Amino acid sequence: RALLCVLCVYMLLRTLACGSALLVGALLLASLRRRRRASGRPVLAPRCAAVEAGAAPLVVVVGLGGVGSHAAQLLLRGGVVRLRLVDFDQVTLSSLNRHATATRADVGLAKALALRAALLAIRPGAEIDARVSLFNAAAAAELLGGPVALVIDAIDDIATKAELQVHCFRAGLPLLSALGAGGKADCGCLHVAPLADVLGDPVASSVGKLVRAAEPAGGDWWRSLDQRVECVYSSEKQRVGLLPMPAGASKESLGSQPTFRARVLPVLPPVPAAFGAALASRALELLRG
């Protein structure tokens, strides 16, 4: 009988502990949702809305891989007829599994030029400005010059992503940023939120550290940046790590930039497509006003 009493007390305590944990979790989730509602940002990506053809806003897409190429072609299909496409890289065989428009015939061509040709085939009268260029602080004024309505960040490299965020914030350019799509598989876990509200994304943490490192002594401007930069991110935990370097390969042989990471994360094709769709959806909503 004594043993039975002890067992009953133990089960009661476990039940209370689990209930407390669930209550705390529910309170944290409710707090996060209240913060996002207060900032006017949806928890999930909004539905696509058409842009009036007469508005003719200029949207710059930086990074034209799986995420950026899907975002660009969906913006065009949604009514955005003025696009500036920025990427230094070429179409490769390994990128065909996730690129929105590239084919075997495009392998070896600059991504910006290949995507421009594909978009003009969809809408011949569109104004598509292709820039075969690596984004960095020195090139920012030229690549993002003019009456830009919105910048979309689909850059893979974390340091370059941080440079773009800092430049757009200081120049007053609206920015939508895609965070980590590699190593994930569940397209139902995508969210749109200010950078300050992003939870559990290692890319957000790494970019945040670099942005804060650029902070002038005594300043706290990056706190405003965290609130102003909207991100598309996945709450799914990363399922796999970086792939090993191929035997005998070097960064140069893989075509990587000296400051870029040579090892890559595996990418499931629907995930970057979903990221690009979420970026385009939010962009069309913002451009519509």
Side-chain angles (χ1 to χ4, degrees):
R1 182 177 297 177
L3 180 60
L4 181 61
C5 290
V6 171
L7 182 60
C8 289
V9 170
Y10 171 73
M11 294 301 295
L12 177 62
L13 291 175
R14 282 200 62 181
T15 302
L16 290 174
C18 291
S20 299
L22 290 173
L23 178 61
V24 170
L27 290 174
L28 287 173
L29 182 59
S31 174
L32 176 60
R33 286 174 174 165
R34 282 197 301 272
R35 287 177 65 191
R36 290 179 181 170
R37 282 197 295 268
S39 65
R41 289 356 185 236
V43 175
L44 294 177
R47 293 181 180 178
C48 182
V51 174
E52 295 182 7
L58 173 61
V59 178
V60 181
V61 182
V62 186
L64 304 175
V67 174
S69 62
H70 279 280
Q73 64 102 4
L74 288 171
L75 284 170
L76 183 76
R77 294 179 190 276
V80 178
V81 295
R82 297 183 65 214
L83 290 167
R84 182 177 299 159
L85 311 175
V86 180
D87 200 308
F88 72 96
D89 207 358
Q90 297 178 341
V91 178
T92 61
L93 279 173
S94 62
S95 66
L96 294 181
N97 73 324
R98 57 190 178 274
H99 199 278
T101 62
T103 67
R104 286 290 290 263
D106 296 318
V107 172
L109 297 178
K111 287 181 179 178
L113 298 178
L115 182 57
R116 179 180 184 272
L119 296 184
L120 288 176
I122 296 170
R123 185 156 184 174
E127 183 180 325
I128 312 293
D129 178 12
R131 305 287 183 96
V132 184
S133 178
L134 175 67
F135 179 87
N136 53 39
E142 178 185 353
L143 295 177
L144 302 182
V148 174
L150 182 67
V151 178
I152 290 183
D153 159 31
I155 298 172
D156 291 333
D157 181 64
I158 290 176
T160 310
K161 185 180 289 289
E163 279 189 308
L164 178 60
Q165 289 190 6
V166 170
H167 176 84
C168 288
F169 176 78
R170 289 175 171 168
L173 295 174
L175 174 69
L176 288 175
S177 181
L179 299 183
K184 299 184 178 183
D186 190 347
C187 296
C189 291
L190 266 59
H191 309 269
V192 179
L195 184 59
D197 288 349
V198 174
L199 299 174
D201 189 288
V203 173
S205 302
S206 299
V207 169
K209 290 177 183 177
L210 292 175
V211 167
R212 288 189 287 275
E215 172 188 0
D220 61 354
W221 59 270
W222 56 268
R223 297 183 188 277
S224 298
L225 182 150
D226 280 357
Q227 290 294 337
R228 282 181 51 183
V229 174
E230 277 195 271
C231 298
V232 173
Y233 76 101
S234 172
S235 57
E236 180 187 11
K237 289 187 177 181
Q238 190 172 297
R239 299 190 179 197
V240 292
L242 293 169
L243 293 174
M245 288 277 286
S250 65
K251 292 183 68 172
E252 293 74 18
S253 67
L254 294 174
S256 176
Q257 292 291 310
T259 57
F260 284 15
R261 185 186 68 203
R263 296 171 63 196
V264 297
L265 282 169
V267 177
L268 192 67
V271 177
F275 267 77
L279 284 171
S281 178
R282 182 59 177 153
L284 291 168
E285 186 179 56
L286 292 172
L287 293 168
R288 180 188 62 180

